[in-house]
Amino acid sequence: MQPQPIIIDCDPGIDDAIALLLAFASPAKLDLLGITTVAGNVPLALTTRNACLMRELASSHSVPVYAGCAAPLVRAPVDAGHFHGASGLGNLPVSQPDQPASPGHAARWIVDTLRQRPSNTVTLVVMGPMTNIAQAIALDADAVQRAQCIVAMGGARCEGGNITASAEFNIFADPHAARRVFQCGCPIVMLGLDATHQVRANPAHVAALRAVGTRAANTVASLLEFTLQLPANDHRDGGVPLHDPCTIAWLLDPAAFTDLPCHIDVETESPLTIGHTAVEFRVSADKPTNARWVVSANGARVFELLVQSLRHLP
Ligand code: RIB
Ligand code: CA
């Protein structure tokens, strides 16, 4: 079976970094055509550097990295440095990567790549604010339609928000971009907090990663240890959610998840609820299905996949 061609759009960020390593570790199943970066957890210069550092760690220099949007479409920028550390990679020692990002804007590279590849073959994996994808739609909406699917981490329904009472960070950070993506007509699978809060890493998981003994597994263990020591209120059951790795795990092992068709819209005006995702399962003529919402995730199965995959990296 041929590996699935994917593009990863991300804002590394601790969990984005772990997701990138999981993707790099799965070349038999995933053909990572390139990585695009966006401002989100930390500013664009840092998310781009961090993506290049993960590429270096995985010894995957043939995968290009393209920097994208430095700010959201409309709203004032927000970040999540309090969860990811000032560098975006916790307390990992960071340096300049051995290979820089490629020249050119991420949105342009996304549409060009979708035009060059056969229609309905490339999956867009989105792990940060959706600004680059909205820009790609603005550049060439028909090209984005050529994507087989958009698999994104974002939003919340039953779980409430993680950056405000009613909004999850990726959607909150650029609600106008998210709304545009939900209207684009491309098949979308959303892994919101309802799913990712079922996939949590605790100190025992960190020990299991340390036991793997590879540089990549030790890096993931260090990133999780940084997160575990944060006083965050979503650390239920002593574990931290593996948000972005769930998108890659869904591609690698979809049977570990279940999803339902829904209509998703995004609040873009209310100061109180901006970024809220209205996930409606009662689809209708005026609220047609525009996405599938992941409602369950097998956390133990996802974590085992992560541990076993990281054995294949240096
Ligand atoms: O709410 C979790 C999401 O926001 C993840 O993508 C994390 O990296 C942050 O960007
Ligand atoms: Ca992210």
Side-chain angles (χ1 to χ4, degrees):
M1 187 168 173
Q2 288 298 315
Q4 164 71 35
I6 67 170
I7 292 169
I8 293 178
D9 186 70
C10 56
D11 63 331
I14 284 175
D15 57 328
D16 307 69
I18 297 170
L20 286 172
L21 292 174
L22 179 55
F24 283 128
S26 313
K29 286 197 171 180
L30 300 176
D31 176 8
L32 183 48
L33 304 178
I35 298 167
T36 54
T37 57
V38 66
N41 288 318
V42 289
L44 180 66
L46 298 186
T47 61
T48 305
R49 179 203 63 190
N50 294 343
C52 292
L53 286 172
M54 289 304 109
R55 174 180 63 182
E56 183 178 338
L57 177 60
S59 301
S60 298
H61 296 82
S62 63
V63 177
V65 174
Y66 291 88
C69 298
L73 294 185
V74 176
R75 65 159 297 153
V78 293
D79 70 56
H82 45 298
F83 281 115
H84 298 269
S87 72
L89 293 177
N91 52 14
L92 283 189
V94 290
S95 56
Q96 282 313 309
D98 61 358
Q99 184 179 312
S102 303
H105 193 283
R108 169 51 62 191
W109 179 80
I110 288 171
V111 298
D112 290 347
T113 303
L114 289 171
R115 285 266 177 223
Q116 290 155 11
R117 292 270 170 164
S119 189
N120 201 33
T121 59
V122 178
T123 292
L124 296 178
V125 185
V126 185
M127 306 178 180
M130 296 181 168
T131 320
N132 286 340
I133 312 306
Q135 287 286 53
I137 293 168
L139 275 177
D140 187 348
D142 290 342
V144 176
Q145 284 287 347
R146 293 170 60 87
Q148 182 177 56
C149 182
I150 296 172
V151 180
M153 191 279 137
R157 183 175 185 272
C158 301
E159 283 294 303
N162 63 355
I163 193 75
T164 68
S166 53
E168 175 279 326
F169 177 79
N170 286 338
I171 310 298
F172 179 76
D174 197 338
H176 300 85
R179 192 159 205 265
R180 185 67 195 85
V181 172
F182 288 126
Q183 293 169 344
C184 79
C186 190
I188 298 173
V189 175
M190 287 302 296
L191 292 107
L193 299 183
D194 296 16
T196 65
H197 279 182
Q198 298 178 45
V199 184
R200 291 177 177 272
N202 61 33
H205 291 123
V206 171
L209 286 162
R210 292 282 185 214
V212 170
T214 63
R215 201 155 46 109
N218 274 314
T219 298
V220 171
S222 299
L223 290 169
L224 292 175
E225 278 173 343
F226 174 85
T227 308
L228 278 165
Q229 55 82 38
L230 293 176
N233 59 13
D234 67 349
H235 290 187
R236 252 171 278 151
D237 321 322
V240 293
L242 291 178
H243 300 294
D244 295 335
C246 283
T247 60
I248 303 299
W250 186 88
L251 288 168
L252 295 171
D253 185 11
F257 303 86
T258 61
D259 60 54
L260 291 172
C262 68
H263 176 84
I264 303 182
D265 200 351
V266 181
E267 176 59 56
T268 59
E269 303 300 329
S270 158
L272 177 64
T273 60
I274 189 167
H276 173 72
T277 43
V279 180
E280 177 61 79
F281 294 129
R282 294 159 297 202
V283 295
S284 59
D286 64 346
K287 289 186 180 178
T289 298
N290 63 352
R292 298 191 69 85
W293 183 256
V294 178
V295 292
S296 79
N298 182 327
R301 186 162 163 172
V302 169
F303 191 80
E304 183 59 20
L305 171 68
L306 176 64
V307 170
Q308 295 312 323
S309 301
L310 290 174
R311 295 181 188 286
H312 303 301
L313 288 181

